[in-house]
């Protein structure tokens, strides 16, 4: 178990015990041309609900990450390209500045995905996302960015 996994698990458990929602950025991955960025993050809330969801948003590079987390999908600027339950890590690979490969744990459940065709992500016209389940990605391993520059919070 990596230190990152322990920190994430502790944050989720402490959030669930006190009932306050929490949003934690796991990975930020800029596109090769630097015009946009993919943000992979976790939302956890409440002991009663026990909600833990993972989101992937793609936004213009100049949009603040905090504004994406605060909107939690409630703003009119649709940027989410994936909502995942039952997983905890992804491998992101920018195949080009407008094509993103998302590999996720094979046993995770994906919601709100748009495989292969242009995604209606506000501010990132022509974005295409390809999703691939993989048994080589264990849940709660480190998320990675395979192309361009990755940054960890």
């Amino acid at each position: 178990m990596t230190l990152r996994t322990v920190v994430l698990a502790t944050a989720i458990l402490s959030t669930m015990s006190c009932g306050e929602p929490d949003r934690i950025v796991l990975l930020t991955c800029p596109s090769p041309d630097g015009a946009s960025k993919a943000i992979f993050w976790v939302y956890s809330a409440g002991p009663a609900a026990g909600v833990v969801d993972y989101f992937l948003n793609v936004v213009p590079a100049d949009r603040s990450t905090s504004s994406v987390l605060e909107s939690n999908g409630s703003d009119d600027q649709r940027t989410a390209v994936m909502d995942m339950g039952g997983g905890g890590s992804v491998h992101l690979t920018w195949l080009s500045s407008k094509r993103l490969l998302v590999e996720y744990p094979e046993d995770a459940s994906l919601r709100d995905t748009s495989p292969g065709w242009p995604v209606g992500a506000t501010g990132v016209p022509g974005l295409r996302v390809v999703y691939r389940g993989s048994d080589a990605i264990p849940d709660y391993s480190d998320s990675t960015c395979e192309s361009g520059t990755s940054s960890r919070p």
Side-chain angles (χ1 to χ4, degrees):
M1 195 182 267
T2 67
L3 177 60
R4 182 175 183 78
T5 303
V6 172
V7 170
L8 177 60
T10 302
I12 290 170
L13 290 175
S14 67
T15 296
M16 291 177 74
S17 65
C18 69
E20 293 296 319
D22 200 7
R23 295 164 179 90
I24 301 168
V25 175
L26 302 175
L27 181 69
T28 302
C29 184
S31 64
D33 66 358
S36 57
K37 62 184 174 184
I39 304 166
F40 180 62
W41 58 284
V42 62
Y43 173 87
S44 57
V51 174
V52 178
D53 279 316
Y54 297 85
F55 294 93
L56 179 64
N57 294 73
V58 180
V59 298
D62 61 354
R63 181 163 178 198
S64 75
T65 299
S66 62
S67 75
V68 173
L69 301 185
E70 289 166 7
S71 73
N72 197 26
S74 64
D75 66 1
D76 60 358
Q77 295 186 357
R78 185 187 187 287
T79 63
V81 297
M82 184 180 77
D83 175 354
M84 179 174 68
S89 57
V90 294
H91 292 177
L92 302 178
T93 305
W94 282 100
L95 303 172
S96 73
S97 292
K98 296 292 183 185
R99 192 166 176 89
L100 178 64
L101 171 63
V102 179
E103 296 175 282
Y104 59 91
E106 200 165 63
D107 57 349
S109 62
L110 298 187
R111 300 175 291 270
D112 297 332
T113 59
S114 302
W117 54 83
V119 174
T122 302
V124 187
L127 174 69
R128 292 179 185 267
V129 183
V130 177
Y131 305 90
R132 179 173 36 193
S134 171
D135 61 1
I137 302 173
D139 287 355
Y140 309 107
S141 66
D142 282 337
S143 292
T144 61
C145 180
E146 301 297 331
S147 178
T149 309
S150 67
S151 107
R152 296 185 185 265

